[in-house]
Amino acid sequence: MLVLRLLNVVAPAYFLCISLVTFVLQIFLFIPSMFRDPSTTPLFSPALLHGALFLFLSANALGNYVLVIQNSPEDLGKGLNLGKGAEVVADWLDGSRSPGSALPSTHFCRLCARVTQRHDHHCFFTGNCIGNRNMRNFIMFCLYTSLACLDSLVAGMAYISAALSMSFASPLAFLTLLPHSISQFFSGALLSSEMFVILMLYLWLGIGLACAGFCCHQMLLILRGQTRYQVRKGMVVRARPWRENLEEVFGKRWLLGLLIPVLNVGSDYHRQKEK
């Protein structure tokens, strides 16, 4: 438990550190060094267009990240005095404390110290549980993080290609880049800044693929009307059309949330809160 609590503090700091490094490299290194086509106007220069795209992706990733943290799943156990003993928590979760009180997919998170309905999982990179209130923002956070990493990967490869006069036309060029760069770095033929960018390329690739895979897996569960907690516990869910499952998470105004980081407007949860 101590290791998990430590990870719950270190992981968000690690993510923010990587985001800051990525922003600095993009703004002060990649974008200024981009090739400027003399035939294009300054309004449509590659550097300006790429900078606008990167800022758009970064703003959405960071905005949804903040919304995930701010919109914690609602604590259903505030009035149940769950902190008085682990046996109380166990009784409440299996329904023996109060008949009908244990709702489907209800889970007590020891890290967050709250009981949440439609619990999906605990995200260490946000230090928060993912549930009905912040699921859509979490998916948008994963989506835009993967796109921002892909954008940084392409810009970094263009920078390394120009700095080292090498081509990435062959897929093997990227696979052999790291071992070849390490040998050049220790021989003094490669600058420390260039070696740092090369290491960041592989980090962006790993984070981007992980976020993209997690986002696709989460979308598949949403289409089936399930959460990761329900799958892990083997819970049977009521079959519903996939459109209803999507609307429950993304709401009717899903396009607005796809373009800018906003709350889950129009979802079933917020309609219930308004009533």
Side-chain angles (χ1 to χ4, degrees), residues 52-64 67 136-137 140-141 143-144 147 250 253-263:
L53 176 61
F54 173 73
L55 291 178
F56 170 76
L57 297 176
S58 300
N60 275 277
L62 184 60
N64 283 287
L67 291 177
R136 194 210 55 151
N137 293 119
M140 290 295 101
F141 160 68
L143 174 63
Y144 280 106
L147 293 178
F250 291 92
R253 304 176 187 178
W254 60 270
L255 184 58
L256 180 63
L258 188 63
L259 299 177
I260 57 176
V262 294
L263 295 176

PDB file of all heavy atoms in Angstrom, residues 52-64 67 136-137 140-141 143-144 147 250 253-263:
ATOM      1  N   ALA A  52       0.690  25.718 -34.338  1.00  0.00           N
ATOM      2  CA  ALA A  52      -0.730  25.815 -34.002  1.00  0.00           C
ATOM      3  C   ALA A  52      -1.318  24.436 -33.692  1.00  0.00           C
ATOM      4  O   ALA A  52      -2.102  24.284 -32.749  1.00  0.00           O
ATOM      5  CB  ALA A  52      -1.486  26.474 -35.147  1.00  0.00           C
ATOM      6  N   LEU A  53      -0.926  23.426 -34.473  1.00  0.00           N
ATOM      7  CA  LEU A  53      -1.411  22.071 -34.225  1.00  0.00           C
ATOM      8  C   LEU A  53      -0.924  21.541 -32.884  1.00  0.00           C
ATOM      9  O   LEU A  53      -1.701  20.944 -32.122  1.00  0.00           O
ATOM     10  CB  LEU A  53      -0.951  21.142 -35.348  1.00  0.00           C
ATOM     11  CG  LEU A  53      -1.306  19.655 -35.193  1.00  0.00           C
ATOM     12  CD1 LEU A  53      -2.812  19.464 -35.144  1.00  0.00           C
ATOM     13  CD2 LEU A  53      -0.679  18.829 -36.302  1.00  0.00           C
ATOM     14  N   PHE A  54       0.340  21.772 -32.568  1.00  0.00           N
ATOM     15  CA  PHE A  54       0.877  21.284 -31.300  1.00  0.00           C
ATOM     16  C   PHE A  54       0.207  21.968 -30.110  1.00  0.00           C
ATOM     17  O   PHE A  54      -0.108  21.326 -29.103  1.00  0.00           O
ATOM     18  CB  PHE A  54       2.387  21.507 -31.251  1.00  0.00           C
ATOM     19  CG  PHE A  54       2.996  21.182 -29.926  1.00  0.00           C
ATOM     20  CD1 PHE A  54       3.131  19.861 -29.519  1.00  0.00           C
ATOM     21  CD2 PHE A  54       3.424  22.187 -29.069  1.00  0.00           C
ATOM     22  CE1 PHE A  54       3.680  19.552 -28.278  1.00  0.00           C
ATOM     23  CE2 PHE A  54       3.989  21.883 -27.838  1.00  0.00           C
ATOM     24  CZ  PHE A  54       4.110  20.565 -27.445  1.00  0.00           C
ATOM     25  N   LEU A  55      -0.027  23.267 -30.203  1.00  0.00           N
ATOM     26  CA  LEU A  55      -0.696  23.985 -29.114  1.00  0.00           C
ATOM     27  C   LEU A  55      -2.132  23.498 -28.941  1.00  0.00           C
ATOM     28  O   LEU A  55      -2.634  23.399 -27.817  1.00  0.00           O
ATOM     29  CB  LEU A  55      -0.668  25.487 -29.383  1.00  0.00           C
ATOM     30  CG  LEU A  55       0.710  26.162 -29.292  1.00  0.00           C
ATOM     31  CD1 LEU A  55       0.602  27.642 -29.631  1.00  0.00           C
ATOM     32  CD2 LEU A  55       1.315  25.976 -27.900  1.00  0.00           C
ATOM     33  N   PHE A  56      -2.800  23.192 -30.044  1.00  0.00           N
ATOM     34  CA  PHE A  56      -4.170  22.673 -29.963  1.00  0.00           C
ATOM     35  C   PHE A  56      -4.197  21.322 -29.259  1.00  0.00           C
ATOM     36  O   PHE A  56      -5.018  21.076 -28.361  1.00  0.00           O
ATOM     37  CB  PHE A  56      -4.762  22.558 -31.364  1.00  0.00           C
ATOM     38  CG  PHE A  56      -6.070  21.822 -31.416  1.00  0.00           C
ATOM     39  CD1 PHE A  56      -7.236  22.440 -30.993  1.00  0.00           C
ATOM     40  CD2 PHE A  56      -6.139  20.517 -31.888  1.00  0.00           C
ATOM     41  CE1 PHE A  56      -8.459  21.760 -31.031  1.00  0.00           C
ATOM     42  CE2 PHE A  56      -7.342  19.840 -31.933  1.00  0.00           C
ATOM     43  CZ  PHE A  56      -8.503  20.464 -31.507  1.00  0.00           C
ATOM     44  N   LEU A  57      -3.295  20.421 -29.646  1.00  0.00           N
ATOM     45  CA  LEU A  57      -3.243  19.094 -29.025  1.00  0.00           C
ATOM     46  C   LEU A  57      -2.844  19.190 -27.553  1.00  0.00           C
ATOM     47  O   LEU A  57      -3.423  18.507 -26.694  1.00  0.00           O
ATOM     48  CB  LEU A  57      -2.255  18.207 -29.783  1.00  0.00           C
ATOM     49  CG  LEU A  57      -2.590  17.903 -31.248  1.00  0.00           C
ATOM     50  CD1 LEU A  57      -1.472  17.083 -31.888  1.00  0.00           C
ATOM     51  CD2 LEU A  57      -3.926  17.184 -31.370  1.00  0.00           C
ATOM     52  N   SER A  58      -1.880  20.043 -27.257  1.00  0.00           N
ATOM     53  CA  SER A  58      -1.409  20.174 -25.876  1.00  0.00           C
ATOM     54  C   SER A  58      -2.482  20.787 -24.979  1.00  0.00           C
ATOM     55  O   SER A  58      -2.658  20.361 -23.829  1.00  0.00           O
ATOM     56  CB  SER A  58      -0.144  21.031 -25.831  1.00  0.00           C
ATOM     57  OG  SER A  58       0.891  20.456 -26.606  1.00  0.00           O
ATOM     58  N   ALA A  59      -3.193  21.794 -25.492  1.00  0.00           N
ATOM     59  CA  ALA A  59      -4.242  22.437 -24.689  1.00  0.00           C
ATOM     60  C   ALA A  59      -5.363  21.453 -24.365  1.00  0.00           C
ATOM     61  O   ALA A  59      -5.889  21.437 -23.243  1.00  0.00           O
ATOM     62  CB  ALA A  59      -4.790  23.649 -25.431  1.00  0.00           C
ATOM     63  N   ASN A  60      -5.732  20.610 -25.331  1.00  0.00           N
ATOM     64  CA  ASN A  60      -6.780  19.630 -25.084  1.00  0.00           C
ATOM     65  C   ASN A  60      -6.317  18.542 -24.123  1.00  0.00           C
ATOM     66  O   ASN A  60      -7.078  18.108 -23.247  1.00  0.00           O
ATOM     67  CB  ASN A  60      -7.237  19.003 -26.403  1.00  0.00           C
ATOM     68  CG  ASN A  60      -8.290  19.825 -27.106  1.00  0.00           C
ATOM     69  OD1 ASN A  60      -9.477  19.729 -26.806  1.00  0.00           O
ATOM     70  ND2 ASN A  60      -7.854  20.660 -28.031  1.00  0.00           N
ATOM     71  N   ALA A  61      -5.076  18.089 -24.277  1.00  0.00           N
ATOM     72  CA  ALA A  61      -4.559  17.054 -23.378  1.00  0.00           C
ATOM     73  C   ALA A  61      -4.475  17.576 -21.952  1.00  0.00           C
ATOM     74  O   ALA A  61      -4.927  16.918 -20.999  1.00  0.00           O
ATOM     75  CB  ALA A  61      -3.193  16.575 -23.866  1.00  0.00           C
ATOM     76  N   LEU A  62      -3.906  18.767 -21.771  1.00  0.00           N
ATOM     77  CA  LEU A  62      -3.764  19.336 -20.431  1.00  0.00           C
ATOM     78  C   LEU A  62      -5.112  19.725 -19.847  1.00  0.00           C
ATOM     79  O   LEU A  62      -5.363  19.531 -18.651  1.00  0.00           O
ATOM     80  CB  LEU A  62      -2.837  20.544 -20.479  1.00  0.00           C
ATOM     81  CG  LEU A  62      -2.507  21.201 -19.133  1.00  0.00           C
ATOM     82  CD1 LEU A  62      -1.831  20.195 -18.209  1.00  0.00           C
ATOM     83  CD2 LEU A  62      -1.619  22.424 -19.328  1.00  0.00           C
ATOM     84  N   GLY A  63      -6.011  20.276 -20.682  1.00  0.00           N
ATOM     85  CA  GLY A  63      -7.333  20.667 -20.189  1.00  0.00           C
ATOM     86  C   GLY A  63      -8.142  19.483 -19.698  1.00  0.00           C
ATOM     87  O   GLY A  63      -8.750  19.532 -18.624  1.00  0.00           O
ATOM     88  N   ASN A  64      -8.149  18.396 -20.464  1.00  0.00           N
ATOM     89  CA  ASN A  64      -8.867  17.199 -20.031  1.00  0.00           C
ATOM     90  C   ASN A  64      -8.192  16.549 -18.835  1.00  0.00           C
ATOM     91  O   ASN A  64      -8.856  15.939 -17.997  1.00  0.00           O
ATOM     92  CB  ASN A  64      -8.970  16.199 -21.185  1.00  0.00           C
ATOM     93  CG  ASN A  64     -10.026  16.587 -22.206  1.00  0.00           C
ATOM     94  OD1 ASN A  64     -11.219  16.481 -21.961  1.00  0.00           O
ATOM     95  ND2 ASN A  64      -9.580  17.062 -23.358  1.00  0.00           N
ATOM     96  N   LEU A  67      -9.509  18.395 -15.893  1.00  0.00           N
ATOM     97  CA  LEU A  67     -10.904  18.045 -15.647  1.00  0.00           C
ATOM     98  C   LEU A  67     -11.045  16.658 -15.035  1.00  0.00           C
ATOM     99  O   LEU A  67     -11.946  16.421 -14.222  1.00  0.00           O
ATOM    100  CB  LEU A  67     -11.694  18.125 -16.956  1.00  0.00           C
ATOM    101  CG  LEU A  67     -11.902  19.534 -17.520  1.00  0.00           C
ATOM    102  CD1 LEU A  67     -12.628  19.474 -18.846  1.00  0.00           C
ATOM    103  CD2 LEU A  67     -12.672  20.408 -16.531  1.00  0.00           C
ATOM    104  N   ARG A 136     -15.330  10.410 -19.774  1.00  0.00           N
ATOM    105  CA  ARG A 136     -15.163  11.005 -21.097  1.00  0.00           C
ATOM    106  C   ARG A 136     -13.920  11.893 -21.162  1.00  0.00           C
ATOM    107  O   ARG A 136     -13.170  11.856 -22.136  1.00  0.00           O
ATOM    108  CB  ARG A 136     -16.390  11.825 -21.474  1.00  0.00           C
ATOM    109  CG  ARG A 136     -16.430  12.183 -22.945  1.00  0.00           C
ATOM    110  CD  ARG A 136     -17.143  13.473 -23.142  1.00  0.00           C
ATOM    111  NE  ARG A 136     -16.536  14.516 -22.323  1.00  0.00           N
ATOM    112  CZ  ARG A 136     -16.545  15.789 -22.661  1.00  0.00           C
ATOM    113  NH1 ARG A 136     -17.094  16.162 -23.764  1.00  0.00           N
ATOM    114  NH2 ARG A 136     -16.004  16.692 -21.874  1.00  0.00           N
ATOM    115  N   ASN A 137     -13.668  12.682 -20.121  1.00  0.00           N
ATOM    116  CA  ASN A 137     -12.470  13.520 -20.090  1.00  0.00           C
ATOM    117  C   ASN A 137     -11.210  12.676 -20.044  1.00  0.00           C
ATOM    118  O   ASN A 137     -10.181  13.054 -20.616  1.00  0.00           O
ATOM    119  CB  ASN A 137     -12.512  14.451 -18.881  1.00  0.00           C
ATOM    120  CG  ASN A 137     -13.622  15.480 -18.978  1.00  0.00           C
ATOM    121  OD1 ASN A 137     -14.513  15.519 -18.141  1.00  0.00           O
ATOM    122  ND2 ASN A 137     -13.583  16.326 -19.988  1.00  0.00           N
ATOM    123  N   MET A 140     -10.600  11.481 -23.609  1.00  0.00           N
ATOM    124  CA  MET A 140     -10.073  12.587 -24.402  1.00  0.00           C
ATOM    125  C   MET A 140      -8.631  12.908 -24.026  1.00  0.00           C
ATOM    126  O   MET A 140      -7.809  13.253 -24.880  1.00  0.00           O
ATOM    127  CB  MET A 140     -10.951  13.827 -24.201  1.00  0.00           C
ATOM    128  CG  MET A 140     -12.339  13.742 -24.812  1.00  0.00           C
ATOM    129  SD  MET A 140     -12.327  13.643 -26.620  1.00  0.00           S
ATOM    130  CE  MET A 140     -12.594  11.881 -26.855  1.00  0.00           C
ATOM    131  N   PHE A 141      -8.309  12.767 -22.753  1.00  0.00           N
ATOM    132  CA  PHE A 141      -6.935  12.976 -22.302  1.00  0.00           C
ATOM    133  C   PHE A 141      -5.991  11.950 -22.937  1.00  0.00           C
ATOM    134  O   PHE A 141      -4.913  12.299 -23.427  1.00  0.00           O
ATOM    135  CB  PHE A 141      -6.888  12.885 -20.776  1.00  0.00           C
ATOM    136  CG  PHE A 141      -5.523  12.607 -20.224  1.00  0.00           C
ATOM    137  CD1 PHE A 141      -4.510  13.547 -20.308  1.00  0.00           C
ATOM    138  CD2 PHE A 141      -5.247  11.383 -19.617  1.00  0.00           C
ATOM    139  CE1 PHE A 141      -3.239  13.279 -19.806  1.00  0.00           C
ATOM    140  CE2 PHE A 141      -3.998  11.115 -19.099  1.00  0.00           C
ATOM    141  CZ  PHE A 141      -2.988  12.061 -19.197  1.00  0.00           C
ATOM    142  N   LEU A 143      -6.539  10.276 -25.734  1.00  0.00           N
ATOM    143  CA  LEU A 143      -6.516  10.496 -27.173  1.00  0.00           C
ATOM    144  C   LEU A 143      -5.572  11.629 -27.561  1.00  0.00           C
ATOM    145  O   LEU A 143      -4.705  11.468 -28.433  1.00  0.00           O
ATOM    146  CB  LEU A 143      -7.942  10.796 -27.669  1.00  0.00           C
ATOM    147  CG  LEU A 143      -8.068  11.200 -29.148  1.00  0.00           C
ATOM    148  CD1 LEU A 143      -7.618  10.068 -30.054  1.00  0.00           C
ATOM    149  CD2 LEU A 143      -9.501  11.615 -29.465  1.00  0.00           C
ATOM    150  N   TYR A 144      -5.718  12.774 -26.903  1.00  0.00           N
ATOM    151  CA  TYR A 144      -4.893  13.924 -27.268  1.00  0.00           C
ATOM    152  C   TYR A 144      -3.453  13.766 -26.797  1.00  0.00           C
ATOM    153  O   TYR A 144      -2.544  14.333 -27.411  1.00  0.00           O
ATOM    154  CB  TYR A 144      -5.509  15.205 -26.708  1.00  0.00           C
ATOM    155  CG  TYR A 144      -6.642  15.719 -27.563  1.00  0.00           C
ATOM    156  CD1 TYR A 144      -7.968  15.595 -27.159  1.00  0.00           C
ATOM    157  CD2 TYR A 144      -6.384  16.321 -28.793  1.00  0.00           C
ATOM    158  CE1 TYR A 144      -9.001  16.056 -27.955  1.00  0.00           C
ATOM    159  CE2 TYR A 144      -7.414  16.780 -29.586  1.00  0.00           C
ATOM    160  CZ  TYR A 144      -8.718  16.644 -29.171  1.00  0.00           C
ATOM    161  OH  TYR A 144      -9.742  17.096 -29.953  1.00  0.00           O
ATOM    162  N   LEU A 147      -1.898  11.750 -29.570  1.00  0.00           N
ATOM    163  CA  LEU A 147      -1.694  12.586 -30.765  1.00  0.00           C
ATOM    164  C   LEU A 147      -0.561  13.577 -30.557  1.00  0.00           C
ATOM    165  O   LEU A 147       0.225  13.835 -31.481  1.00  0.00           O
ATOM    166  CB  LEU A 147      -2.990  13.323 -31.104  1.00  0.00           C
ATOM    167  CG  LEU A 147      -4.159  12.461 -31.570  1.00  0.00           C
ATOM    168  CD1 LEU A 147      -5.386  13.318 -31.823  1.00  0.00           C
ATOM    169  CD2 LEU A 147      -3.801  11.670 -32.821  1.00  0.00           C
ATOM    170  N   PHE A 250     -20.414  10.013 -23.391  1.00  0.00           N
ATOM    171  CA  PHE A 250     -20.008  11.213 -24.112  1.00  0.00           C
ATOM    172  C   PHE A 250     -21.089  12.280 -24.172  1.00  0.00           C
ATOM    173  O   PHE A 250     -20.787  13.439 -24.458  1.00  0.00           O
ATOM    174  CB  PHE A 250     -19.589  10.846 -25.545  1.00  0.00           C
ATOM    175  CG  PHE A 250     -18.319  10.066 -25.609  1.00  0.00           C
ATOM    176  CD1 PHE A 250     -18.337   8.683 -25.600  1.00  0.00           C
ATOM    177  CD2 PHE A 250     -17.091  10.700 -25.658  1.00  0.00           C
ATOM    178  CE1 PHE A 250     -17.173   7.946 -25.648  1.00  0.00           C
ATOM    179  CE2 PHE A 250     -15.916   9.978 -25.707  1.00  0.00           C
ATOM    180  CZ  PHE A 250     -15.963   8.597 -25.695  1.00  0.00           C
ATOM    181  N   ARG A 253     -23.767  16.225 -26.783  1.00  0.00           N
ATOM    182  CA  ARG A 253     -22.899  17.264 -27.346  1.00  0.00           C
ATOM    183  C   ARG A 253     -21.456  16.768 -27.370  1.00  0.00           C
ATOM    184  O   ARG A 253     -20.541  17.420 -26.892  1.00  0.00           O
ATOM    185  CB  ARG A 253     -23.020  18.543 -26.525  1.00  0.00           C
ATOM    186  CG  ARG A 253     -24.450  19.049 -26.398  1.00  0.00           C
ATOM    187  CD  ARG A 253     -24.521  20.269 -25.497  1.00  0.00           C
ATOM    188  NE  ARG A 253     -25.901  20.672 -25.243  1.00  0.00           N
ATOM    189  CZ  ARG A 253     -26.255  21.681 -24.454  1.00  0.00           C
ATOM    190  NH1 ARG A 253     -25.325  22.382 -23.820  1.00  0.00           N
ATOM    191  NH2 ARG A 253     -27.532  21.981 -24.281  1.00  0.00           N
ATOM    192  N   TRP A 254     -21.265  15.590 -27.957  1.00  0.00           N
ATOM    193  CA  TRP A 254     -19.940  14.969 -27.955  1.00  0.00           C
ATOM    194  C   TRP A 254     -18.950  15.728 -28.820  1.00  0.00           C
ATOM    195  O   TRP A 254     -17.754  15.739 -28.539  1.00  0.00           O
ATOM    196  CB  TRP A 254     -20.050  13.529 -28.442  1.00  0.00           C
ATOM    197  CG  TRP A 254     -20.614  13.419 -29.839  1.00  0.00           C
ATOM    198  CD1 TRP A 254     -21.924  13.304 -30.182  1.00  0.00           C
ATOM    199  CD2 TRP A 254     -19.879  13.421 -31.056  1.00  0.00           C
ATOM    200  NE1 TRP A 254     -22.079  13.240 -31.538  1.00  0.00           N
ATOM    201  CE2 TRP A 254     -20.824  13.312 -32.111  1.00  0.00           C
ATOM    202  CE3 TRP A 254     -18.532  13.513 -31.375  1.00  0.00           C
ATOM    203  CZ2 TRP A 254     -20.454  13.285 -33.449  1.00  0.00           C
ATOM    204  CZ3 TRP A 254     -18.155  13.486 -32.709  1.00  0.00           C
ATOM    205  CH2 TRP A 254     -19.108  13.371 -33.726  1.00  0.00           C
ATOM    206  N   LEU A 255     -19.453  16.404 -29.889  1.00  0.00           N
ATOM    207  CA  LEU A 255     -18.548  17.109 -30.787  1.00  0.00           C
ATOM    208  C   LEU A 255     -17.876  18.282 -30.086  1.00  0.00           C
ATOM    209  O   LEU A 255     -16.707  18.576 -30.340  1.00  0.00           O
ATOM    210  CB  LEU A 255     -19.311  17.604 -32.018  1.00  0.00           C
ATOM    211  CG  LEU A 255     -18.475  18.282 -33.108  1.00  0.00           C
ATOM    212  CD1 LEU A 255     -17.390  17.341 -33.613  1.00  0.00           C
ATOM    213  CD2 LEU A 255     -19.361  18.754 -34.250  1.00  0.00           C
ATOM    214  N   LEU A 256     -18.600  18.949 -29.176  1.00  0.00           N
ATOM    215  CA  LEU A 256     -18.017  20.068 -28.435  1.00  0.00           C
ATOM    216  C   LEU A 256     -16.856  19.595 -27.572  1.00  0.00           C
ATOM    217  O   LEU A 256     -15.809  20.234 -27.500  1.00  0.00           O
ATOM    218  CB  LEU A 256     -19.095  20.735 -27.574  1.00  0.00           C
ATOM    219  CG  LEU A 256     -18.652  21.933 -26.731  1.00  0.00           C
ATOM    220  CD1 LEU A 256     -18.188  23.075 -27.628  1.00  0.00           C
ATOM    221  CD2 LEU A 256     -19.776  22.402 -25.826  1.00  0.00           C
ATOM    222  N   GLY A 257     -17.025  18.448 -26.930  1.00  0.00           N
ATOM    223  CA  GLY A 257     -15.958  17.908 -26.093  1.00  0.00           C
ATOM    224  C   GLY A 257     -14.794  17.362 -26.891  1.00  0.00           C
ATOM    225  O   GLY A 257     -13.696  17.194 -26.361  1.00  0.00           O
ATOM    226  N   LEU A 258     -15.025  17.064 -28.175  1.00  0.00           N
ATOM    227  CA  LEU A 258     -13.947  16.577 -29.022  1.00  0.00           C
ATOM    228  C   LEU A 258     -13.018  17.698 -29.457  1.00  0.00           C
ATOM    229  O   LEU A 258     -11.842  17.463 -29.734  1.00  0.00           O
ATOM    230  CB  LEU A 258     -14.534  15.877 -30.257  1.00  0.00           C
ATOM    231  CG  LEU A 258     -13.558  15.141 -31.164  1.00  0.00           C
ATOM    232  CD1 LEU A 258     -12.896  14.000 -30.426  1.00  0.00           C
ATOM    233  CD2 LEU A 258     -14.268  14.630 -32.411  1.00  0.00           C
ATOM    234  N   LEU A 259     -13.534  18.921 -29.495  1.00  0.00           N
ATOM    235  CA  LEU A 259     -12.748  20.058 -29.982  1.00  0.00           C
ATOM    236  C   LEU A 259     -12.116  20.862 -28.858  1.00  0.00           C
ATOM    237  O   LEU A 259     -11.003  21.364 -29.012  1.00  0.00           O
ATOM    238  CB  LEU A 259     -13.638  20.974 -30.838  1.00  0.00           C
ATOM    239  CG  LEU A 259     -14.237  20.329 -32.082  1.00  0.00           C
ATOM    240  CD1 LEU A 259     -15.148  21.320 -32.803  1.00  0.00           C
ATOM    241  CD2 LEU A 259     -13.143  19.840 -33.027  1.00  0.00           C
ATOM    242  N   ILE A 260     -12.816  20.995 -27.730  1.00  0.00           N
ATOM    243  CA  ILE A 260     -12.285  21.770 -26.614  1.00  0.00           C
ATOM    244  C   ILE A 260     -12.517  20.994 -25.321  1.00  0.00           C
ATOM    245  O   ILE A 260     -13.476  20.213 -25.226  1.00  0.00           O
ATOM    246  CB  ILE A 260     -12.958  23.166 -26.511  1.00  0.00           C
ATOM    247  CG1 ILE A 260     -14.475  23.028 -26.385  1.00  0.00           C
ATOM    248  CG2 ILE A 260     -12.587  24.032 -27.698  1.00  0.00           C
ATOM    249  CD1 ILE A 260     -15.190  24.339 -26.182  1.00  0.00           C
ATOM    250  N   PRO A 261     -11.664  21.161 -24.320  1.00  0.00           N
ATOM    251  CA  PRO A 261     -11.850  20.447 -23.050  1.00  0.00           C
ATOM    252  C   PRO A 261     -12.971  21.066 -22.224  1.00  0.00           C
ATOM    253  O   PRO A 261     -12.827  22.152 -21.673  1.00  0.00           O
ATOM    254  CB  PRO A 261     -10.495  20.606 -22.355  1.00  0.00           C
ATOM    255  CG  PRO A 261      -9.894  21.840 -22.958  1.00  0.00           C
ATOM    256  CD  PRO A 261     -10.394  21.913 -24.360  1.00  0.00           C
ATOM    257  N   VAL A 262     -14.103  20.378 -22.153  1.00  0.00           N
ATOM    258  CA  VAL A 262     -15.252  20.832 -21.379  1.00  0.00           C
ATOM    259  C   VAL A 262     -15.751  19.673 -20.540  1.00  0.00           C
ATOM    260  O   VAL A 262     -15.339  18.529 -20.707  1.00  0.00           O
ATOM    261  CB  VAL A 262     -16.390  21.353 -22.294  1.00  0.00           C
ATOM    262  CG1 VAL A 262     -15.960  22.612 -23.011  1.00  0.00           C
ATOM    263  CG2 VAL A 262     -16.815  20.277 -23.283  1.00  0.00           C
ATOM    264  N   LEU A 263     -16.669  19.989 -19.619  1.00  0.00           N
ATOM    265  CA  LEU A 263     -17.279  18.945 -18.799  1.00  0.00           C
ATOM    266  C   LEU A 263     -18.152  18.057 -19.653  1.00  0.00           C
ATOM    267  O   LEU A 263     -18.489  18.382 -20.792  1.00  0.00           O
ATOM    268  CB  LEU A 263     -18.089  19.579 -17.669  1.00  0.00           C
ATOM    269  CG  LEU A 263     -17.305  20.376 -16.620  1.00  0.00           C
ATOM    270  CD1 LEU A 263     -18.272  21.023 -15.637  1.00  0.00           C
ATOM    271  CD2 LEU A 263     -16.324  19.470 -15.891  1.00  0.00           C
TER     272      LEU A 263
END
